[in-house]
Coordinates of all heavy atoms in Angstrom, one line a residue:
I1159 N -8.9 12.4 -9.4 CA -8.8 12.8 -8.0 C -7.6 12.1 -7.3 O -7.4 10.9 -7.6 CB -10.1 12.3 -7.2 CG1 -11.3 13.2 -7.8 CG2 -10.0 12.6 -5.7 CD1 -12.7 12.7 -7.4
L1160 N -6.9 12.8 -6.5 CA -5.7 12.3 -5.9 C -6.0 11.7 -4.5 O -6.9 12.3 -3.8 CB -4.6 13.4 -5.7 CG -4.0 14.0 -7.0 CD1 -3.0 15.0 -6.7 CD2 -3.4 12.9 -7.9
V1161 N -5.3 10.6 -4.1 CA -5.5 10.0 -2.8 C -4.2 9.8 -2.2 O -3.3 9.2 -2.8 CB -6.3 8.7 -2.9 CG1 -6.5 8.0 -1.6 CG2 -7.6 8.8 -3.7
F1162 N -4.0 10.3 -0.9 CA -2.8 10.0 -0.1 C -3.2 9.2 1.1 O -4.3 9.4 1.7 CB -2.2 11.4 0.3 CG -1.5 12.1 -0.8 CD1 -2.2 12.8 -1.7 CD2 -0.1 12.0 -0.9 CE1 -1.5 13.5 -2.7 CE2 0.6 12.7 -1.9 CZ -0.2 13.4 -2.8
N1163 N -2.3 8.3 1.5 CA -2.5 7.5 2.7 C -1.5 8.0 3.7 O -0.3 7.7 3.6 CB -2.2 6.0 2.4 CG -2.4 5.1 3.6 OD1 -3.1 5.5 4.6 ND2 -1.8 3.9 3.5
L1164 N -2.0 8.8 4.6 CA -1.1 9.5 5.6 C -0.9 8.6 6.8 O -1.8 8.2 7.5 CB -1.7 10.8 6.0 CG -1.0 11.7 6.9 CD1 0.4 12.1 6.4 CD2 -1.8 13.0 7.2
K1165 N 0.4 8.4 7.1 CA 0.8 7.5 8.1 C 0.1 7.8 9.5 O 0.1 9.0 9.9 CB 2.3 7.5 8.3 CG 2.9 6.6 9.4 CD 4.4 6.7 9.4 CE 5.0 5.8 10.5 NZ 6.5 6.0 10.6
D1166 N -0.4 6.8 10.1 CA -1.0 7.0 11.5 C -2.3 7.8 11.5 O -2.9 8.1 12.5 CB -0.1 7.5 12.5 CG 1.2 6.7 12.7 OD1 1.0 5.4 12.6 OD2 2.3 7.2 13.0
K1167 N -2.8 8.2 10.3 CA -4.0 9.1 10.2 C -5.0 8.5 9.3 O -6.2 8.2 9.7 CB -3.6 10.5 9.8 CG -2.8 11.2 10.9 CD -2.5 12.6 10.6 CE -1.8 13.3 11.7 NZ -1.4 14.7 11.4
G1168 N -4.7 8.3 8.0 CA -5.7 7.7 7.1 C -5.6 8.4 5.7 O -4.7 9.1 5.4
F1169 N -6.7 8.2 5.0 CA -6.7 8.6 3.6 C -7.2 10.1 3.5 O -8.1 10.5 4.1 CB -7.6 7.8 2.8 CG -7.1 6.3 2.6 CD1 -7.7 5.3 3.3 CD2 -6.1 6.1 1.7 CE1 -7.2 4.0 3.2 CE2 -5.6 4.8 1.6 CZ -6.2 3.8 2.3
V1170 N -6.5 10.8 2.6 CA -6.8 12.2 2.3 C -7.0 12.3 0.8 O -6.1 11.9 0.0 CB -5.6 13.2 2.7 CG1 -6.0 14.6 2.3 CG2 -5.4 13.1 4.2
T1171 N -8.1 12.9 0.4 CA -8.4 13.1 -1.0 C -8.1 14.6 -1.4 O -8.3 15.5 -0.6 CB -9.9 12.8 -1.4 OG1 -10.7 13.6 -0.6 CG2 -10.2 11.3 -1.1
I1172 N -7.6 14.8 -2.6 CA -7.4 16.1 -3.1 C -8.0 16.3 -4.5 O -7.7 15.5 -5.4 CB -5.8 16.4 -3.2 CG1 -5.2 16.2 -1.8 CG2 -5.6 17.8 -3.7 CD1 -3.7 16.4 -1.7
T1173 N -8.9 17.2 -4.6 CA -9.8 17.3 -5.7 C -9.6 18.7 -6.5 O -9.1 19.7 -5.9 CB -11.3 17.2 -5.4 OG1 -11.7 18.3 -4.6 CG2 -11.5 16.0 -4.6
G1174 N -10.0 18.7 -7.7 CA -10.2 19.9 -8.4 C -11.6 20.5 -8.2 O -11.7 21.5 -7.5
C1175 N -12.6 19.8 -8.7 CA -14.0 20.3 -8.5 C -14.9 19.2 -7.9 O -16.0 19.6 -7.5 CB -14.6 20.7 -9.9 SG -14.2 22.3 -10.4
C1176 N -14.4 18.0 -7.9 CA -15.3 16.9 -7.4 C -16.7 16.9 -8.0 O -17.7 16.8 -7.4 CB -15.4 17.0 -5.9 SG -15.9 15.5 -5.1
H1177 N -16.7 16.9 -9.3 CA -17.9 16.9 -10.1 C -18.7 15.6 -9.8 O -20.0 15.6 -9.9 CB -17.7 17.0 -11.6 CG -17.3 18.4 -12.0 ND1 -18.2 19.4 -12.1 CD2 -16.1 18.9 -12.4 CE1 -17.7 20.5 -12.5 NE2 -16.4 20.2 -12.7
P1178 N -18.1 14.5 -9.4 CA -19.0 13.3 -9.1 C -19.8 13.5 -7.9 O -20.8 12.8 -7.7 CB -17.9 12.2 -8.9 CG -16.7 12.7 -9.5 CD -16.7 14.1 -9.5
G1179 N -19.5 14.5 -7.1 CA -20.1 14.7 -5.8 C -19.2 14.2 -4.7 O -18.6 13.1 -4.7
V1180 N -19.2 14.9 -3.6 CA -18.2 14.6 -2.5 C -18.6 13.3 -1.9 O -17.6 12.5 -1.5 CB -18.2 15.7 -1.4 CG1 -19.6 15.9 -0.8 CG2 -17.1 15.4 -0.4
N1181 N -19.8 12.9 -1.7 CA -20.1 11.7 -1.0 C -19.9 10.5 -2.0 O -19.5 9.4 -1.5 CB -21.6 11.7 -0.5 CG -21.7 12.7 0.6 OD1 -21.0 12.6 1.6 ND2 -22.6 13.7 0.4
A1182 N -20.1 10.6 -3.3 CA -19.8 9.6 -4.2 C -18.3 9.3 -4.2 O -17.8 8.2 -4.3 CB -20.2 9.9 -5.6
M1183 N -17.5 10.4 -4.1 CA -16.0 10.3 -4.0 C -15.6 9.6 -2.7 O -14.8 8.7 -2.8 CB -15.4 11.7 -4.0 CG -13.9 11.7 -3.8 SD -13.1 13.3 -3.6 CE -13.7 13.8 -2.0
M1184 N -16.2 9.9 -1.6 CA -15.8 9.3 -0.4 C -16.2 7.8 -0.4 O -15.5 6.9 0.1 CB -16.5 10.0 0.8 CG -16.1 11.4 1.0 SD -14.3 11.8 0.9 CE -13.7 10.8 2.3
E1185 N -17.3 7.5 -1.0 CA -17.7 6.1 -1.1 C -16.8 5.3 -1.9 O -16.4 4.1 -1.6 CB -19.1 6.0 -1.7 CG -19.8 4.7 -1.6 CD -20.3 4.3 -0.2 OE1 -20.8 5.2 0.5 OE2 -20.1 3.2 0.2
Y1186 N -16.3 5.9 -3.0 CA -15.3 5.2 -3.9 C -14.0 5.0 -3.1 O -13.5 3.9 -3.2 CB -15.0 6.1 -5.1 CG -14.0 5.5 -6.1 CD1 -14.5 4.7 -7.2 CD2 -12.7 5.5 -5.9 CE1 -13.6 4.1 -8.1 CE2 -11.8 4.9 -6.7 CZ -12.3 4.2 -7.8 OH -11.4 3.6 -8.7
V1187 N -13.5 6.0 -2.4 CA -12.3 5.8 -1.7 C -12.5 4.7 -0.6 O -11.6 3.9 -0.4 CB -11.9 7.1 -1.0 CG1 -10.7 6.9 -0.1 CG2 -11.5 8.2 -2.1
K1188 N -13.6 4.7 0.1 CA -13.8 3.7 1.1 C -13.8 2.3 0.5 O -13.2 1.4 1.0 CB -15.1 4.0 1.8 CG -15.6 2.9 2.8 CD -17.0 3.2 3.4 CE -17.4 2.1 4.3 NZ -18.8 2.3 4.8
N1189 N -14.5 2.1 -0.6 CA -14.6 0.8 -1.3 C -13.4 0.3 -2.0 O -13.2 -0.9 -2.1 CB -15.8 0.8 -2.3 CG -17.1 1.0 -1.6 OD1 -17.3 0.7 -0.4 ND2 -18.1 1.5 -2.3
N1190 N -12.5 1.3 -2.4 CA -11.4 0.9 -3.3 C -10.0 1.1 -2.6 O -9.0 0.5 -3.1 CB -11.4 1.7 -4.6 CG -12.6 1.3 -5.5 OD1 -12.5 0.3 -6.2 ND2 -13.7 2.0 -5.4
Y1191 N -10.0 1.9 -1.5 CA -8.7 2.1 -0.8 C -8.8 1.6 0.6 O -7.8 1.0 1.1 CB -8.3 3.6 -0.9 CG -8.0 4.1 -2.3 CD1 -8.9 4.7 -3.1 CD2 -6.7 3.9 -2.8 CE1 -8.6 5.1 -4.4 CE2 -6.3 4.3 -4.0 CZ -7.3 4.9 -4.8 OH -6.9 5.4 -6.1
G1192 N -9.8 2.0 1.4 CA -9.9 1.6 2.8 C -10.8 2.5 3.6 O -11.3 3.5 3.1
N1193 N -11.2 2.0 4.7 CA -12.2 2.7 5.6 C -11.7 3.9 6.4 O -12.5 4.7 6.8 CB -12.8 1.7 6.6 CG -13.6 0.5 5.9 OD1 -14.2 0.8 4.9 ND2 -13.5 -0.6 6.5
N1194 N -10.4 4.0 6.5 CA -9.8 5.0 7.4 C -9.7 6.3 6.7 O -8.7 6.7 6.2 CB -8.4 4.5 7.9 CG -7.9 5.4 9.0 OD1 -8.7 6.2 9.6 ND2 -6.7 5.3 9.3
L1195 N -10.9 7.1 6.6 CA -10.9 8.3 5.9 C -10.6 9.5 6.9 O -11.2 9.6 7.9 CB -12.4 8.5 5.4 CG -12.9 7.4 4.5 CD1 -14.3 7.6 4.1 CD2 -12.0 7.2 3.3
Y1196 N -9.6 10.3 6.5 CA -9.1 11.3 7.4 C -9.4 12.7 7.0 O -9.8 13.5 7.8 CB -7.6 11.2 7.5 CG -7.0 12.2 8.5 CD1 -7.1 12.0 9.9 CD2 -6.3 13.3 8.0 CE1 -6.5 12.9 10.8 CE2 -5.8 14.2 8.9 CZ -5.9 14.0 10.3 OH -5.3 14.9 11.2
G1197 N -9.3 13.1 5.7 CA -9.5 14.4 5.3 C -9.6 14.6 3.8 O -9.5 13.7 3.0
L1198 N -9.9 15.9 3.5 CA -10.0 16.2 2.1 C -9.6 17.7 1.8 O -9.7 18.5 2.7 CB -11.4 15.9 1.5 CG -12.6 16.7 2.1 CD1 -12.8 18.1 1.5 CD2 -13.9 15.9 1.8
Y1199 N -9.2 17.9 0.6 CA -8.9 19.3 0.2 C -9.5 19.5 -1.2 O -9.4 18.6 -2.1 CB -7.4 19.5 0.1 CG -7.0 20.8 -0.5 CD1 -6.8 22.0 0.3 CD2 -6.9 21.0 -1.9 CE1 -6.6 23.2 -0.3 CE2 -6.6 22.2 -2.5 CZ -6.5 23.3 -1.7 OH -6.2 24.5 -2.2
G1200 N -10.0 20.7 -1.4 CA -10.3 21.1 -2.8 C -11.8 21.6 -3.0 O -12.5 21.7 -2.1
G1201 N -12.1 21.7 -4.3 CA -13.5 22.1 -4.6 C -14.4 20.9 -4.5 O -14.1 19.8 -4.8

Side-chain angles (χ1 to χ4, degrees):
I1159 295 169
L1160 298 180
V1161 182
F1162 285 79
N1163 181 21
L1164 182 56
K1165 182 180 178 181
D1166 298 328
K1167 293 184 177 179
F1169 292 104
V1170 177
T1171 58
I1172 302 178
T1173 68
C1175 277
C1176 201
H1177 285 286
V1180 61
N1181 293 304
M1183 175 185 72
M1184 299 313 299
E1185 193 72 40
Y1186 182 96
V1187 173
K1188 177 185 174 183
N1189 292 338
N1190 292 275
Y1191 291 96
N1193 294 327
N1194 192 15
L1195 306 175
Y1196 181 77
L1198 63 79
Y1199 172 92

